[in-house]
Amino acid sequence: MPLQLTTSSPQELSPEDLAPFKETLLAYLRARNAQTRQQVDSNLHITVGEKIPLYTFTLQVLLESRGPKPENVTKALRQVPEKDRPAENVLPPAPPKDTNDLWQFSTEPRPDFSAYENTYFVPNTLQVRECNDCFQRGETGCKQCFGKGEEACQNCLGSGTQSCLYCKGLEKVTCIRCGGEGRMTAGGVQGVTRAARCDACSGTGKFPCTHCKEGKVPCAVCNGGGKGPCKKCNGQGKMACPTCLGDKKIVVGLAFQADFKPFQVSVKGLAVPGPREAMELAAPTVQPVGEIAVSADEPFEKQVQNLEAGVHGRATLQQLSEKLRARLSSNTRAVKYRLEVAEGSVVRVSGYCAGQEFSFWMAAGRPEIIAEKDPLSSLSNSVAVAAEEALGTGDWKKAADLARETLSYSPGHLTALAILSDWRKKVFRECLVAVCVSAAFGAVFFSSLILRAEKGLHKTGALFQVSALQFAVALAVGVVAFPFLLRLYTIKVRWPALVGVLAAGHFAYWIAVQWVLGWNPVRTADQASLNRELAEHFKFGVAKVFYEPDLLYLQGLYKTYKGSEADLSDLQANLDKQLDLKKAHEHDQKMFNAKIAEVASSGLPAAKKQERLQELKTYYKLLNVDLSAADDALDSVGEDVRRATTASNTKRTRITIIAHPKRRAAVGSNLRARPASKPPAKSPPPAKPAKKNAVRGDRRLEF
């Protein structure tokens, strides 16, 4: 059955139906540009208004996919339809010679477009055989319970017991009378309480549990047996054979897998050629019309080619065919079609304005308007051509004016935008060159003023600062002057104006910073350098006592920065303070030397002199004076002490041993014999000390 499609033709609108569309079009054109409003009102003429049908085609397809070749399949006898079951004890017909082309075998017609999959046997390849997995018994032992029909209880895990609910497996329960305390508390006289042992639990606070044995009770599910019926075989220990499903026979043969999947695609199309935006404009007006019968015996692409309909209707359906073709392959085919049609409409208004044709697409009740042929765009194109001709002759003023007029008709006209962009680029390049040149001249001029007129040490940084600021000033002046330069089309006027503005900007900047703000980069750099050197040398501040290197450093800094304009008040104050400290230091030095001389010439003992000198040295050491006089005095006193000690040690004392006349020798040779008991002899009087001799260590002793 060939595909049949009935399409509507465009309908011309009556003047009454066209009136609201004309008002909408006039409002649209007036709002685009106020300069063209009068021209539009007087020159707009609508010749025809048409209602153009819009069609939306939705194609639903059921795709069938098959494998590349059949495979050997084994199924139970009941799983094979009766029409496909081979007869037993009868030789099967000859199987097909070529089984690789699976599309020669039929599957089944599908009633709807839902997804589905199934296995289909190749005809004349099926054979009925006895099931060898169950040995023609139709049942097999349960693999979960190993044919026993029972398995471990899931509640007690095969133990047959579970924890007691009363004692929680602890074998004892809390005494109800004493609450587990083991004692009973009673009130006494005047708030005194007494506690007595609980006679119910004998003071233990616990009772043996009477509901269990050792904290365990029999399992309530298996009654203590630890086993239960197998859930897989329902306690039978046997189950139907998974291969033959209890039929004791199986069917073996070639089969293939067929997958059915739905697919849907939609396209839109106008009855006449038109822009894509017009189809989107008419989309809200689309309403379902009905279905078109599509035969599944012939490819959809071929049916579209044989379609007797308008050119644009056939082109729209060909888009469906191309999208469907992308989903088809050698293993996938379309087996079911359903084509739904929805229809809408859009209005096309045509005419001319100022000698230019126009064509606009509109929809009833919608403010959007799609321009297919815009009269203002045509006017803008003609003006843009004149602007290009003026640009070719070098008349930038005329070219820019015509370009702006072009943009008044068509704000996004590329040619007009390019002309104005070229003009801005030209002025920008001239302005950039003038800015760079003026900044360079300004940097050189004001740098020479700094080198000659300014006093100071650090002029290099000031030169860089002034040069950078001159470039910044020139750039700022150029940015401000750029919009005004765009209006000066004559180069003899534009260049002098640019140079004058830049020169005035440089001198105004110099006067402002030099005479009004008082900015001096050399003085600022010198001051910063002086402060940095002072901070680096005196990290903890200037010393409160005199230190000659600090004084020399301050004097050197003062000499270095004396000819600059830096503020030397802090440096002068520190220098004066160091000079005052120097005078005080000299006075302390004189006092120290006088006291040392006084102690050294006094008649004090040497030890006392050393002590006094050491005290003076310790005290004046904090004042940072020269301690060499104290060291010399200490050395002199120490030398006197050493000479006196040496002289006393050189006198030697002689020692002479003289036997006492009353002393007797020991009697006998027996040293162990006791001496005779006699009264002890009186000790002789102490000997007089011997006179010292010249020889050192020579002393004389007498007994």
Side-chain angles (χ1 to χ4, degrees), residues 122-234:
V122 176
N124 302 331
T125 61
L126 302 184
Q127 296 181 8
V128 178
R129 296 180 182 177
E130 296 179 348
C131 181
N132 294 328
D133 293 345
C134 60
F135 301 101
Q136 296 84 43
R137 293 181 299 178
E139 58 184 12
T140 59
C142 179
K143 295 182 180 180
Q144 183 169 337
C145 62
F146 300 102
K148 297 179 180 180
E150 58 182 9
E151 59 182 355
C153 178
Q154 298 296 327
N155 187 43
C156 62
L157 301 178
S159 63
T161 60
Q162 60 183 12
S163 298
C164 178
L165 297 178
Y166 294 93
C167 65
K168 309 301 181 185
L170 300 177
E171 303 181 27
K172 292 184 178 181
V173 295
T174 304
C175 177
I176 301 176
R177 186 175 184 184
C178 65
E181 297 293 334
R183 289 184 169 277
M184 302 294 294
T185 304
V189 181
Q190 295 180 354
V192 179
T193 58
R194 294 177 299 172
R197 189 180 67 173
C198 178
D199 54 358
C201 60
S202 300
T204 60
K206 300 288 183 181
F207 269 113
C209 182
T210 59
H211 297 84
C212 64
K213 182 179 182 180
E214 296 180 355
K216 300 290 184 179
V217 296
C219 178
V221 177
C222 61
N223 295 325
K227 295 183 180 297
C230 178
K231 295 182 179 180
K232 190 172 184 180
C233 62
N234 296 324

Side-chain angles (χ1 to χ4, degrees), residues 457-458 461-462 465 520-536 553 557 561 564-568:
L457 303 175
H458 301 81
Q465 291 182 11
N520 191 332
V522 179
R523 181 179 59 211
T524 304
D526 289 344
Q527 189 67 46
S529 177
L530 175 61
N531 296 337
R532 183 172 58 255
E533 292 187 21
L534 286 174
E536 290 178 355
Y553 181 77
L557 280 182
Y561 289 93
S564 66
E565 298 183 13
D567 184 11
L568 304 179

Side-chain angles (χ1 to χ4, degrees), residues 443-499:
V444 172
F445 176 74
F446 292 114
S447 297
S448 63
L449 289 181
I450 291 175
L451 292 174
R452 293 181 180 181
E454 296 293 338
K455 296 187 299 180
L457 303 175
H458 301 81
K459 295 184 179 181
T460 304
L463 296 179
F464 281 108
Q465 291 182 11
V466 169
S467 300
L469 289 174
Q470 291 302 315
F471 276 95
V473 168
L475 184 60
V477 173
V479 170
V480 174
F482 181 72
F484 301 96
L485 295 174
L486 290 175
R487 303 176 184 179
L488 302 177
Y489 297 98
T490 305
I491 192 171
K492 295 180 180 180
V493 178
R494 187 170 61 254
W495 269 102
L498 180 57
V499 173

Side-chain angles (χ1 to χ4, degrees), residues 92-103:
K97 296 181 179 179
D98 184 14
T99 59
N100 291 329
D101 184 13
L102 299 181
W103 294 105

Side-chain angles (χ1 to χ4, degrees), residues 3 57 59 61 265 292-306 316-322 324-325 328 334 337-339:
L3 184 64
F57 299 100
L59 179 64
V61 185
V265 62
I292 298 177
V294 182
S295 175
D297 299 332
E298 189 176 5
F300 183 76
E301 181 179 4
K302 188 174 181 180
Q303 297 182 54
V304 171
Q305 292 177 356
N306 299 329
T316 304
L317 291 177
Q318 284 179 352
Q319 297 179 17
L320 283 177
S321 176
E322 292 175 357
L324 176 60
R325 189 192 310 165
L328 302 178
Y337 299 98
R338 182 169 63 189
L339 182 61

